[in-house]
Amino acid sequence: RKDPELALDFYREEGYPSASVIEYLITLLNSNFEDWRIANPNEDIKKFPFSAKKMSVSGSLFDMDKFNDVSKNVIARMSAEDVLKLVTDWAEEFDEELFKLLSSGKDYALKIFAIGRGGKKPRKDFAKFSEVKGYINFFYDEIFDNKFEFPQNIDRNLCKEVLNKYISCYEKQPDMNSWFEHLCKVGEELGFASSTKAYKENPEAYKGSPGDVSQIIRAAVTGRLNSPDLYSVMDIMGEEKVKERI
């Protein structure tokens, strides 16, 4: 068939978990499934009261965007252990480089997949396992592209000033609050506001907000402006690698 989405090999090669395919198909087959899932976010899909009466007589159209959205939700509900196993199994067949990285440091990889998992609003970073390498590449020097995107609203010389100041007094913090307090202190010494509230009350008095300082450091450590929780990222990477990046 001409449409790749219609071939079963497509889902396997792209790395869609079977649970995502099943969930999306039931979404298509029973109109009340989505409401049931909202009310039962962590329930086993086998407990859904499937009914032939709820099936559309006109059939359903396959929506790839909707399928990807469903798959992100399915993966977000999985444990870090399950995601690591599924990704590693997929990579063994389709991405040798990723397979070697995950297999050689399972504890390290498990911490990566655990970021933002669980709770009421788990992260939904990828819909298929072929997207994982791009999501985690900054954790591994072997696949990090060494490209860095810095905030456009901050002068490059000021970015350098922040990084030089931060690296001069950087040390791994015991918790997120301590980490953020240290970050704010570094920024305050360079003319940034000591808090977001202070910045909002009088933005003209400062070079930027604590969020701007955080974004500068995020860009240096991860190469991007959008990443998982920065404290967790730096905690996992460790002091030596963080300093090397900055």
Side-chain angles (χ1 to χ4, degrees):
R1 300 188 180 189
K2 292 183 178 180
D3 294 333
E5 294 84 356
L6 298 177
L8 292 179
D9 284 347
F10 167 79
Y11 303 98
R12 193 168 62 87
E13 292 170 1
E14 289 293 303
Y16 287 104
S18 58
S20 296
V21 178
I22 293 170
E23 183 121 350
Y24 180 64
L25 289 177
I26 296 200
T27 300
L28 294 180
L29 292 172
N30 263 201
S31 58
N32 61 324
F33 175 74
E34 289 188 82
D35 289 336
W36 180 86
R37 176 53 81 196
I38 291 172
N40 304 275
N42 299 308
E43 194 64 81
D44 188 329
I45 197 171
K46 293 179 182 178
K47 294 185 179 180
F48 170 68
F50 184 87
S51 173
K53 294 180 181 180
K54 294 290 184 179
M55 295 178 68
S56 172
V57 295
S58 60
S60 303
L61 294 175
F62 189 95
D63 184 333
M64 202 65 194
D65 290 335
K66 176 67 174 180
F67 173 49
N68 282 320
D69 186 58
V70 168
S71 188
K72 284 183 178 181
N73 284 313
V74 169
I75 295 173
R77 291 195 298 269
M78 295 178 179
S79 68
E81 291 83 0
D82 287 344
V83 173
L84 175 58
K85 184 181 186 308
L86 289 171
V87 174
T88 303
D89 289 346
W90 173 84
E92 185 175 14
E93 184 175 0
F94 296 104
D95 193 326
E96 182 181 359
E97 184 177 40
L98 180 61
F99 174 71
K100 288 181 178 179
L101 289 173
L102 297 179
S103 300
S104 63
K106 291 185 178 180
D107 290 341
Y108 184 74
L110 188 61
K111 291 177 182 178
I112 295 172
F113 289 117
I115 298 177
R117 196 164 293 279
K120 294 182 179 180
K121 293 184 177 181
R123 290 187 63 87
K124 302 173 184 178
D125 294 289
F126 47 88
K128 51 188 177 178
F129 303 143
S130 55
E131 296 175 337
V132 167
K133 182 185 280 187
Y135 166 65
I136 68 172
N137 69 345
F138 58 83
F139 282 104
Y140 297 94
D141 290 339
E142 296 88 339
I143 55 176
F144 183 56
D145 59 14
N146 285 304
K147 294 179 180 179
F148 298 87
E149 177 189 4
F150 280 88
Q152 294 297 313
N153 63 314
I154 302 176
D155 181 79
R156 290 297 175 273
N157 289 326
L158 182 55
C159 287
K160 291 179 181 180
E161 194 175 347
V162 169
L163 294 176
N164 284 328
K165 178 66 177 178
Y166 191 78
I167 197 67
S168 70
C169 58
Y170 172 75
E171 58 182 25
K172 192 172 181 179
Q173 300 295 324
D175 55 59
M176 185 179 294
N177 288 335
S178 299
W179 171 83
F180 190 68
E181 287 176 5
H182 178 255
L183 181 147
C184 290
K185 182 178 180 181
V186 169
E188 188 176 12
E189 291 178 2
L190 294 174
F192 288 80
S194 60
S195 68
T196 302
K197 181 181 178 181
Y199 180 74
K200 287 183 177 179
E201 290 177 349
N202 191 11
E204 292 80 11
Y206 305 102
K207 294 180 180 179
S209 69
D212 291 322
V213 178
S214 177
Q215 281 295 73
I216 294 170
I217 298 168
R218 184 189 309 278
V221 173
T222 70
R224 60 185 73 167
L225 297 178
N226 183 24
S227 77
D229 167 59
L230 185 56
Y231 167 74
S232 297
V233 168
M234 295 171 69
D235 188 57
I236 292 170
M237 293 176 73
E239 187 172 346
E240 184 177 340
K241 187 178 290 292
V242 168
K243 285 183 175 180
E244 184 180 304
R245 285 285 172 81
I246 294 177

